[in-house]
Amino acid sequence: MTWQVLNPYDQECIGSVELVDWPQIDRWLDEARALHEDRQARLPAHERIAILQRASVLMRERAETLAMQIAREGGKPIIDARVETSRAIQSVELCIHELFASGGREIPMDLTQAGAGRKAYTFREPIGPVVAISAFNHPLNLIAHQVGPAVATGCPVLVKPAKDTPLSCKSFVEILYEAGLNEDWCRFVPCSDEVAEKMVTDPRTAFFSFIGSARVGWMLRSKLAPGTRLALEHGGAAPVIVDDSVAHAKVIPPLLKGGFYHSGQVCVSVQRVFVPRAELPDFAAELAAGAEALTVGDPTNAETQCGPLIRPAEVDRVESWVDAAVQGGGRLAAGGKRTGSTLYQPTVLVDPPDDADVSRKEVFGPVVCIYGYDDVDAAITQANALPYAFQAAVFTDRMSWADYCVEALAASAVMVNDHTAFRVDWMPFAGRRQSGLGTGGIGYTMADMSEEKMVVVNAPSSVR
């Protein structure tokens, strides 16, 4: 069996990958466990560093090819695909940096009489075979965030890409091979969902890294073998609180970027914006004008700012959610129409009903909702009312107001005067509640994929 890879813009086939069956994965899991258990087979840090350094060089040499591949298989505008490629290269280099910065620590023993005469220190060991399942929306950098740390920490890794975007993953794995990594340390594993579940829940899997839907992630977590560690990265419905002290000109541009970047197909995309009710008409008109000015179309064109959704069914879903919100009393300020099988206009909805899907669920499409508020505490309560909590944002010229909102918002990170989708690859990145479990970011993932071991030495101070 094969996966046919379609360009989401025109639905043309641009490639295919052969699916891997369970007997092959079963052999690879045996191989991965044996590699981990054979301490003589483990790659020393200097070899891992050299492999990652060579991989970084190869990626830089092929940066434009990698970016175009992202645009063609994932629909991300080429201007943003180039940024993703640059970030993926930096992610690999961050793995190297973390290896240089990593190390153990001394544990003081003589704090009580019981520990006197002893010395203790820690060091880290690879956790074991890693199974990674990734999402389509950042097909190269997400893979770098999952596979790079596994290679860096010395863990064998099996990686299953998203069905829609396997080519970038395949390219990254092949670059690692070309850089000197033996294939038994990293396996490209496109496979059916049933086979993937069997691989994830196998007791030989020591660590499970998942980026995707909450429904699938939490389901797989419930089936893990005893002892398997994991990290889950899901999505949310990111809230933004706007103060009446801040000029709209400081708010509209970042909201346009954070809401319509990759046509909203980002787990921390701006979705729910709360503005003072007196400012709602003007604010909505300005955001709508900005949305209507965005260029929608072929992601390989340099002028395109919003590309297609990943597949036609996603446009059907977004269209139905927006239509239902309008029928329920929400006002359409911009967009609200499909312009092709996978193209949907950047859309601004004003005061959609609280029980509408666009208000309660992650849209994962080019839709930003604006709500008027009379009291900031009421806005914060509404922002916190969902079972998701990831990144949030506050726009204000008053630091005291920002501090108040930062403390009150249910979020793992709050951006002040920036959009919710801001991220650099070394910062902690984590969802609360149903939005995830564990912390992403290169250094944090490397810590997850390794285990600290402590040594306590009974070392009397005198040899007499």
Side-chain angles (χ1 to χ4, degrees):
M1 293 180 62
T2 62
W3 282 344
Q4 298 296 315
V5 184
L6 304 182
N7 181 327
Y9 175 67
D10 57 18
Q11 297 296 287
E12 291 294 320
C13 181
I14 59 172
S16 64
V17 295
E18 294 288 333
L19 269 62
V20 182
D21 59 16
W22 173 249
Q24 179 64 74
I25 293 172
D26 186 40
R27 290 191 291 272
W28 284 346
L29 283 171
D30 268 345
E31 178 185 85
R33 182 173 61 180
L35 270 177
H36 173 68
E37 292 177 349
D38 181 0
R39 300 188 67 86
Q40 300 305 312
R42 294 183 185 179
L43 298 176
H46 68 87
E47 289 188 20
R48 287 176 264 140
I49 289 169
I51 289 166
L52 292 168
Q53 286 173 332
R54 288 191 290 269
S56 171
V57 170
L58 291 170
M59 292 173 74
R60 288 191 182 279
E61 291 173 352
R62 301 167 193 177
E64 186 61 20
T65 298
L66 292 169
M68 187 59 69
Q69 184 168 254
I70 292 169
R72 294 187 69 222
E73 74 170 342
K76 181 176 290 185
I78 187 64
I79 55 172
D80 296 319
R82 289 176 179 135
V83 173
E84 180 181 340
T85 301
S86 177
R87 284 182 58 189
I89 295 167
Q90 292 169 3
S91 294
V92 171
E93 293 169 350
L94 278 168
C95 291
I96 300 167
H97 172 80
E98 289 293 333
L99 280 174
F100 275 104
S102 65
R105 57 196 175 101
E106 182 183 355
I107 309 296
M109 286 285 107
D110 60 353
L111 301 178
T112 67
Q113 180 62 36
R118 292 166 175 80
K119 295 182 179 180
Y121 62 92
T122 67
F123 62 95
R124 302 197 73 85
E125 297 181 316
I127 195 170
V130 171
V131 169
I133 294 181
S134 203
F136 76 85
N137 54 333
H138 308 292
L140 183 61
N141 196 36
L142 291 182
I143 296 297
H145 269 254
Q146 295 173 292
V147 174
V151 173
T153 55
C155 293
V157 56
L158 289 77
V159 56
K160 176 189 178 294
K163 182 177 181 180
D164 297 292
T165 56
L167 302 181
S168 293
C169 177
K170 186 171 186 286
S171 293
F172 183 72
V173 171
E174 289 174 346
I175 283 172
L176 288 174
Y177 295 162
E178 192 174 342
L181 185 70
N182 287 338
E183 292 186 18
D184 49 4
W185 283 100
C186 181
R187 296 295 188 182
F188 174 66
V189 191
C191 60
S192 70
D193 291 343
E194 294 76 16
V195 171
E197 180 176 330
K198 198 169 182 179
M199 174 174 63
V200 167
T201 58
D202 191 281
R204 290 167 290 184
T205 297
F207 189 85
F208 171 44
S209 171
F210 178 83
I211 303 174
S213 77
R215 179 187 62 81
V216 175
W218 291 113
M219 178 274 292
L220 290 173
R221 182 215 183 196
S222 72
K223 298 183 178 183
L224 292 181
T228 301
R229 273 41 177 180
L230 79 158
L232 305 177
E233 184 181 308
H234 303 144
V240 178
I241 311 290
V242 181
D243 186 11
D244 61 9
S245 71
V246 64
H248 294 180
K250 294 182 180 180
V251 184
I252 300 298
L255 291 190
L256 289 169
K257 183 63 178 178
F260 299 114
Y261 163 69
H262 199 7
S263 293
Q265 298 171 113
V266 180
C267 63
V268 285
S269 178
V270 170
Q271 183 171 325
R272 299 176 296 147
V273 182
F274 300 90
V275 302
R277 192 167 301 281
E279 299 183 19
L280 183 59
D282 289 342
F283 191 95
E286 292 172 36
L287 188 64
E292 289 174 341
L294 295 173
T295 302
V296 181
D298 185 345
T300 63
N301 289 340
E303 299 78 16
T304 298
Q305 295 164 290
C306 292
L309 273 67
I310 192 64
R311 62 188 80 91
E314 293 304 300
V315 179
D316 296 340
R317 178 186 57 79
V318 171
E319 182 179 50
S320 69
W321 286 17
V322 170
D323 289 349
V326 172
Q327 291 168 11
R331 180 173 67 85
L332 196 61
K337 295 181 180 178
R338 66 193 306 158
T339 57
S341 64
T342 54
L343 293 176
Y344 194 80
Q345 293 175 330
T347 296
V348 176
L349 282 169
V350 181
D351 274 335
D354 290 346
D355 61 353
D357 283 339
V358 295
S359 297
R360 296 186 305 109
K361 301 177 181 179
E362 182 180 27
V363 174
F364 223 64
V367 179
V368 174
C369 303
I370 313 175
Y371 309 83
Y373 71 82
D374 299 308
D375 175 76
V376 68
D377 288 318
I380 290 171
T381 297
Q382 188 176 348
N384 290 345
L386 302 184
Y388 317 105
F390 213 139
Q391 296 195 164
V394 175
F395 284 87
T396 182
D397 287 333
R398 299 183 289 175
M399 201 61 217
S400 60
W401 197 89
D403 289 341
Y404 181 81
C405 292
V406 164
E407 291 191 15
L409 283 166
S412 58
V414 181
M415 310 302 157
V416 178
N417 295 329
D418 209 339
H419 60 74
T420 60
F422 173 80
R423 184 187 183 185
V424 291
D425 296 288
W426 55 90
M427 73 186 230
F429 192 68
R432 294 183 178 180
R433 300 177 180 173
Q434 293 183 24
S435 288
L437 183 66
T439 303
I442 294 297
Y444 301 90
T445 301
M446 287 176 63
D448 278 347
M449 292 181 179
S450 59
E451 296 178 305
E452 190 173 60
K453 179 179 283 186
M454 183 174 68
V455 180
V456 181
V457 181
N458 192 350
S461 59
S462 174
V463 297
R464 292 178 296 174

